[in-house]
Amino acid sequence: MTNWDALTQTLERHGFTVSRFATGREAAAYIDGKIDGKTVGMGGSITLKDLGLYELLAAHNTVHWHWSGDGQPARARDLAVGAQVYLSSVNALAETGEIINIDGTCNRVASLLYGHEEVYLVVGANKIAPDAEAALWRARNVASPKNAQRLGRKTPCAVKGDRCYDCDSPERVCGSLVTLWRKPGGIGRMEVVLVEEDLGY
Ligand code: SF4
């Protein structure tokens, strides 16, 4: 059972702004109210997709998302890197404060490290693990295999669906592992938006 107050205090001590909502719908409305008239980049994320954040934000911002279906995903990724604001979820968040992401193309993790005025990380309850080791385990053995399955990759994790095999498959989806110990100095403001229901995987 997550101690939300303790987690909030830990993240704030690590330099992050923290907000918290009972539902994803409330979190999406909050983010929609915070970002207006900006260029916005979005990482690939089932959480963001399920919350309809592209549609909400594109109504009053210039949003670059390679999942938008405009037929130019590479261009969208390039423009997202230079956007004022960036949105992503995470693969796991430790109650001790470590924020963990695994990426294949690595556009998403690049944008969590440097260059944006603001970054929002939307984190559902299912992403939270007790400590850094458990969070890393979750990212590798839960989130990445599900991503490989979603993408239809011929990797052992996607075929068996049970864990990571640290494969050498040409279709491997895991190219990098990034752990945020503290808010990166190259990001103006980084807000962790905690949601007390499950979102994404
Ligand atoms: S390293 Fe390979 S087996 Fe492990 S999660 Fe990534 S794609 Fe799957």
Side-chain angles (χ1 to χ4, degrees), residues 140 144-145 148 155-158 163-169 171-174:
R140 295 195 78 176
S144 292
T155 58
C157 65
R163 65 177 174 89
C164 171
Y165 290 81
D166 196 15
C167 69
D168 289 321
S169 166
E171 300 199 16
R172 175 174 168 132
V173 297
C174 307

Side-chain angles (χ1 to χ4, degrees), residues 27-129:
Y30 166 76
I31 292 167
D32 188 37
K34 294 276 284 185
I35 306 170
D36 181 50
K38 302 279 190 180
T39 55
V40 180
M42 289 176 50
S45 162
I46 296 295
T47 293
L48 301 184
K49 180 173 184 281
D50 287 350
L51 294 181
L53 276 162
Y54 176 79
E55 291 78 6
L56 287 170
L57 291 170
H60 54 107
N61 297 274
T62 301
V63 184
H64 305 294
W65 196 33
H66 58 296
W67 287 13
S68 71
D70 70 356
Q72 295 185 295
R75 177 172 159 77
R77 272 194 291 264
D78 287 349
L79 292 170
V81 167
Q84 292 168 292
V85 182
Y86 196 82
L87 270 66
S88 177
S89 186
V90 305
N91 292 136
L93 165 61
E95 291 188 65
T96 44
E98 295 84 0
I99 297 171
I100 292 181
N101 279 289
I102 291 170
D103 207 348
T105 304
C106 301
N107 57 301
R108 182 170 59 102
V109 294
S111 274
L112 304 189
L113 294 174
Y114 185 80
H116 300 286
E117 293 172 14
E118 286 188 311
V119 170
Y120 291 85
L121 301 175
V122 185
V123 184
N126 52 318
K127 304 287 184 71
I128 297 170

